[in-house]
């Protein structure tokens, strides 16, 4: 019986520790990114020590059967991760703008990477080709690859994360992004060299 009480007390202590946050949008001292939205913010900038690295994000390629798309393949690059679905109207509007940002910045070390969720593969591929997208995308209907985004509202589609060259989260948008807004964030990171 005492062992059961010790186990319950330990679980409660872990739970309390996991729920505690500072004033920042990132829980400090965790070593990897853990999302919170202070005051319900939908656009969050991370600077200095607020930036925490994202664990490996990987999954099956949408376009290349048997291949994997991995964040680690883009070492040293600024990475824009976009969570999308062909079924999502705002995603369909946003994707060509992401492609434009990619076209304008890929020679400066920027990579766009999609994560297609809750989707039908043939519909997603048709949309990808019709929109003339050429950045890689993970095909992940159940969203399992997104489990590395601790605390992140993985059902928010579209949403975008921008990682600096060390793959630390520098900016998050829980709403559709406009080209100019995203380009501004990416250029700030390019300037950080």
């Amino acid at each position: 019986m005492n062992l059961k009480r010790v186990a319950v007390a330990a679980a409660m202590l872990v739970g309390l520790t996991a729920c505690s946050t500072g004033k920042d949008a990132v829980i400090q001292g965790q070593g990897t990114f853990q999302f919170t939205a202070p005051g319900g913010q939908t656009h969050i900038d991370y600077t200095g020590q607020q930036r925490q690295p994202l664990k490996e994000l990987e999954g099956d390629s949408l376009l290349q059967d048997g291949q994997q798309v991995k964040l680690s393949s883009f070492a040293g690059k600024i990475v824009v991760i976009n969570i999308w679905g062909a079924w999502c109207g705002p995603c369909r509007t946003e994707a060509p703008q992401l492609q434009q940002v990619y076209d304008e910045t890929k020679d400066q070390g920027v990579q766009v990477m999609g994560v297609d969720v809750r989707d039908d593969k043939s519909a997603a591929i048709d949309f990808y080709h019709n929109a003339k997208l050429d950045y890689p995308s993970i095909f992940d209907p159940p969203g399992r690859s997104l489990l590395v985004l601790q605390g992140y509202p993985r059902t928010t589609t579209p949403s975008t994360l921008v990682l600096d060259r060390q793959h630390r989260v520098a900016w998050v948008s829980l709403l559709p992004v406009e080209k100019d807004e995203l380009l501004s964030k990416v250029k700030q990171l390019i300037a950080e060299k």
Side-chain angles (χ1 to χ4, degrees):
M1 193 70 164
N2 285 339
L3 287 176
K4 189 174 183 180
R5 287 183 185 165
V6 170
V8 169
M12 289 175 56
L13 181 59
V14 168
L16 289 172
T17 304
C19 293
S20 64
T21 62
K23 295 179 183 175
D24 298 335
V26 174
I27 296 175
Q28 299 298 320
Q30 298 293 318
T32 57
F33 177 71
Q34 184 162 344
F35 178 82
T36 60
Q41 294 177 40
T42 55
H43 291 86
I44 304 167
D45 283 297
Y46 301 92
T47 58
Q49 295 208 354
Q50 289 179 325
R51 289 188 190 171
Q52 296 294 318
L54 191 61
K55 290 182 182 177
E56 176 69 291
L57 176 61
E58 63 183 319
D60 294 333
S61 171
L62 172 64
L63 300 177
Q64 298 173 324
D65 287 339
Q67 299 291 315
Q68 292 276 298
V69 175
K70 298 180 180 185
L71 176 61
S72 60
S73 298
F74 310 119
K77 292 190 175 191
I78 295 162
V79 180
V80 176
I81 299 171
N82 181 254
I83 302 167
W84 68 282
W87 50 268
C88 161
C91 301
R92 297 174 75 82
T93 301
E94 181 182 66
Q97 295 181 62
L98 291 167
Q99 183 65 50
Q100 289 172 3
V101 169
Y102 181 48
D103 290 342
E104 290 181 32
T105 60
K106 63 184 166 186
D107 291 339
Q108 298 168 62
V110 176
Q111 177 66 54
V112 174
M113 175 179 165
V115 181
D116 180 23
V117 296
R118 301 189 312 263
D119 219 342
D120 171 77
K121 191 165 190 174
S122 62
I125 290 172
D126 285 348
F127 168 70
Y128 224 70
H129 290 307
N130 290 338
K132 296 180 173 56
L133 306 178
D134 69 359
Y135 51 84
S137 191
I138 293 171
F139 179 66
D140 187 8
R144 288 187 189 111
S145 64
L146 299 176
L147 293 174
V148 300
L149 300 174
Q150 295 180 18
Y152 196 83
R154 294 184 297 271
T155 58
T156 302
T157 310
S159 65
T160 303
L161 298 94
V162 180
L163 312 182
D164 66 15
R165 293 182 193 278
Q166 291 79 43
H167 294 175
R168 299 174 303 169
V169 179
W171 186 70
V172 169
S173 174
L174 299 177
L175 297 173
V177 295
E178 297 287 330
K179 176 190 171 192
D180 292 341
E181 176 184 36
L182 180 58
L183 193 56
S184 172
K185 297 298 179 185
V186 166
K187 285 184 174 180
Q188 288 172 20
L189 293 175
I190 292 170
E192 286 182 3
K193 288 186 181 185

